[in-house]
Amino acid sequence: MGVPVNATSPVKINLGHQEVARIIEELEKSYEAVEAAEWIPAKPIGDMLSRELGYEDEAEFEDAIGGTWIELLNVLPNVQTQTDETGKVRFKVLPDPSAEDWVPRRLVLRITDRSQLWNILLKSPTAALEIPEMEFAIQPNGVKKIDSLYNHIGNAIFELGSHVRTVSLSGDHQDKIVDCITSLNDLLDVSAPWTCVVADISGISEFSDMSNVEVRPGMGEDEEGTWNK
């Protein structure tokens, strides 16, 4: 037995950073390589990854993460941590369900404060991130992405900007994209409340903090106005 690790303190680890993404990828591979085990000690795995990825010491490893190894584990939505009887932290990575076990659902989060944008979202390969107030969506792309809500939207802004700079567009089309970029930036300022909806046919998507997230079964569209309940 063990007790869950207290992970309530906000940690702004940049999960979108290339080095952190590489560490997360190697973490999942290392866990898959451990046969017949659910809960495994956190520190030995962290030490092993630090060595295998070429870090000189724990300080350099934590500098790359932007926090401690345990803090990284705590912010990942697909990882659970607990403290065992000796006070040591152990963890397990939650496996993705097979397609026949998928349960479609929508995660609805009403954004009223900028601090909510640092909530970590595991966006599954089959999930769309929708903003009903803008009729805007980040569509499924077949790739799992774990990052803060802020960075999910920030990446969409970057990609739209790159599209405007590199693709020949009609003036009207370009103006619409620029207006969309402006509106998305306004969302990141939270100048007014707005709604984030993660629609996922697999049901795998998860926020690290689900306390203010409404879980709605199915993928059907709601009637007008229900997003703002």
Side-chain angles (χ1 to χ4, degrees):
M1 296 295 292
V3 295
V5 173
N6 186 345
T8 57
S9 60
V11 178
K12 295 182 181 180
I13 294 175
N14 184 4
L15 297 178
H17 191 282
Q18 183 177 0
E19 194 65 15
V20 178
R22 183 168 75 114
I23 292 170
I24 294 172
E25 181 180 357
E26 292 302 319
L27 161 64
E28 294 181 345
K29 289 180 180 178
S30 297
Y31 186 83
E32 291 173 358
V34 179
E35 297 182 0
E38 286 195 351
W39 295 98
I40 60 177
K43 189 177 187 314
I45 296 298
D47 292 343
M48 180 188 71
L49 290 180
S50 177
R51 291 192 304 271
E52 290 185 351
L53 294 174
Y55 295 103
E56 291 185 0
D57 52 30
E58 183 178 0
E60 187 179 30
F61 185 50
E62 292 184 348
D63 184 60
I65 292 173
T68 69
W69 169 240
I70 301 303
E71 286 171 342
L72 174 61
L73 294 177
N74 281 336
V75 299
L76 297 177
N78 61 331
V79 172
Q80 291 181 348
T81 57
Q82 65 174 211
T83 303
D84 65 19
E85 296 83 353
T86 66
K88 295 180 179 178
V89 176
R90 55 189 182 183
F91 75 97
K92 67 177 177 180
V93 178
L94 303 178
D96 292 338
S98 56
E100 58 266 23
D101 294 324
W102 284 359
V103 180
R105 66 177 187 171
R106 289 159 294 157
L107 308 178
V108 183
L109 178 60
R110 187 70 171 162
I111 304 297
T112 59
D113 186 89
R114 290 193 82 230
S115 63
Q116 295 173 280
L117 299 178
W118 295 108
N119 199 349
I120 303 301
L121 170 63
L122 185 161
K123 181 177 177 291
S124 85
T126 59
L129 193 162
E130 303 170 353
I131 302 169
E133 291 86 348
M134 288 181 55
E135 297 184 348
F136 174 85
I138 302 172
Q139 298 294 346
N141 63 357
V143 177
K144 179 173 69 176
K145 184 172 179 60
I146 303 175
D147 211 335
S148 66
L149 181 55
Y150 186 100
N151 283 344
H152 278 287
I153 296 172
N155 288 335
I157 292 171
F158 177 80
E159 290 177 4
L160 288 170
S162 297
H163 187 70
V164 169
R165 291 190 298 270
T166 59
V167 178
S168 178
L169 303 169
S170 67
D172 182 60
H173 191 185
Q174 179 170 315
D175 288 344
K176 288 181 178 178
I177 294 177
V178 171
D179 287 345
C180 180
I181 292 173
T182 300
S183 296
L184 288 172
N185 275 304
D186 288 342
L187 293 184
L188 295 182
D189 291 332
V190 194
S191 53
W194 55 277
T195 312
C196 170
V197 181
V198 181
D200 189 356
I201 193 172
S202 72
I204 294 171
S205 295
E206 188 92 2
F207 283 96
S208 59
D209 180 3
M210 292 285 290
S211 58
N212 293 312
V213 178
E214 180 185 355
V215 180
R216 300 184 182 180
M219 297 288 288
E221 295 183 359
D222 289 315
E223 295 179 2
E224 185 178 356
T226 56
W227 292 122
N228 297 323
K229 285 184 177 180

